[in-house]
Amino acid sequence: MGKIKKVIVNYWKKENTFLFHFLTCLIINMSQNDPENQANEMLDQTIKQIKNNEITELNIPDGIKELKKCQFAGYPIISVKIPDTITKLPESAFAGCTSLKKVICSKNLTYIGNLAFFQCNELVEFEIPDSVIKIDGGAFRSCTKLNIKIPPNIKCIGNCAFYDCLSLKEVKIPESCEEIGGSSFFNCISLEVLELSPSLKSIPGTCFRQCSSLKSVIIPPSVESIGNNAF
């Protein structure tokens, strides 16, 4: 009886070992064939090429769903393509990319984070998608060559969002927008045309301070308070 028990135990050990290796291979194979994993591997390879100064174009692969804070900050890139699978740009995602000139955005983007494009002072080609509802603090601060349109469905523009956007000439804030932050358009010295949302309840301090080309502005009747040095 003792010998029989030993044979049974060894048999199951062998079977379990085989099963373990089989499942391991299956998991590895599934992982390799997963589109998201493949996209991440492609992105890692692209990042290596950029860091080695082999390429200057960043084409984020389809299938990437999220970016990390500061993920591409300071990279020597000239152009970026963001796939439609991405809905949010995190804080400082492209901050300090001083050579960046062109961005093709996700059509499903809803949020542009704090300092996302801070000091991208060569950026000229950028169209904010209509899907964006919030532009957070300092998102385009010091993008000195950027002349951009505010998207029609925007609800909130954060503090200093367009601070020092020296080439910005026209700002039309749509009815959907209920909040603009302090200093959001500070020192936009080329700003000539300004239309405020009829939904605004306040204009915070230094919001349009030092916009020296601005000749006149109509304050909507909805505005209940105007901060210090707003204009």
Side-chain angles (χ1 to χ4, degrees):
M1 293 293 292
K3 289 184 179 180
I4 294 175
K5 287 181 179 179
K6 186 175 181 181
V7 170
I8 292 173
V9 170
N10 286 339
Y11 171 79
W12 279 107
K13 281 184 178 180
K14 289 180 180 179
E15 286 296 306
N16 287 339
T17 300
F18 171 78
L19 184 61
F20 173 78
H21 286 301
F22 173 76
L23 292 174
T24 300
C25 292
L26 183 62
I27 292 169
I28 291 173
N29 186 54
M30 290 174 64
S31 176
Q32 289 175 341
N33 292 326
D34 181 67
E36 189 170 351
N37 285 338
Q38 290 177 345
N40 282 315
E41 289 176 4
M42 291 172 62
L43 181 58
D44 289 342
Q45 182 61 34
T46 299
I47 290 173
K48 288 180 181 178
Q49 290 178 301
I50 292 171
K51 288 182 176 180
N52 292 332
N53 295 314
E54 297 174 12
I55 58 173
T56 57
E57 296 180 358
L58 172 59
N59 292 322
I60 300 173
D62 292 334
I64 298 292
K65 297 178 180 179
E66 293 182 358
L67 300 180
K68 300 174 185 177
K69 177 181 175 181
C70 304
Q71 187 167 1
F72 307 106
Y75 278 22
I77 48 179
I78 293 177
S79 66
V80 173
K81 184 178 180 181
I82 302 169
D84 293 342
T85 46
I86 291 177
T87 59
K88 297 180 180 180
L89 292 182
E91 179 179 346
S92 302
F94 300 95
C97 293
T98 55
S99 300
L100 183 60
K101 296 181 179 181
K102 180 180 180 180
V103 175
I104 300 175
C105 249
S106 162
K107 295 177 182 178
N108 298 313
L109 197 66
T110 60
Y111 172 75
I112 301 176
N114 289 312
L115 304 170
F117 295 95
F118 175 54
Q119 287 187 341
C120 293
N121 44 32
E122 291 295 322
L123 184 58
V124 291
E125 292 186 55
F126 191 111
E127 184 175 343
I128 303 177
D130 291 353
S131 53
V132 170
I133 59 174
K134 184 174 183 178
I135 299 171
D136 224 330
F140 295 97
R141 181 169 180 167
S142 298
C143 292
T144 54
K145 295 185 178 181
L146 187 64
N147 186 22
I148 207 164
K149 291 183 179 180
I150 307 298
N153 299 307
I154 194 76
K155 293 183 178 180
C156 177
I157 298 173
N159 296 336
C160 304
F162 296 94
Y163 190 114
D164 272 345
C165 286
L166 306 181
S167 300
L168 191 62
K169 295 182 179 180
E170 180 178 285
V171 171
K172 295 183 178 180
I173 301 176
E175 187 174 355
S176 59
C177 187
E178 300 176 350
E179 180 184 355
I180 52 177
S183 302
S184 50
F185 295 91
F186 185 93
N187 202 40
C188 293
I189 57 175
S190 298
L191 183 61
E192 298 176 351
V193 178
L194 174 61
E195 295 182 11
L196 295 174
S197 165
S199 302
L200 282 180
K201 293 184 178 180
S202 66
I203 301 174
T206 65
C207 189
F208 298 97
R209 186 71 171 171
Q210 293 184 199
C211 294
S212 53
S213 297
L214 190 61
K215 305 301 180 184
S216 64
V217 61
I218 298 175
I219 308 296
S222 58
V223 171
E224 299 173 354
S225 65
I226 299 177
N228 293 332
N229 300 313
F231 296 94

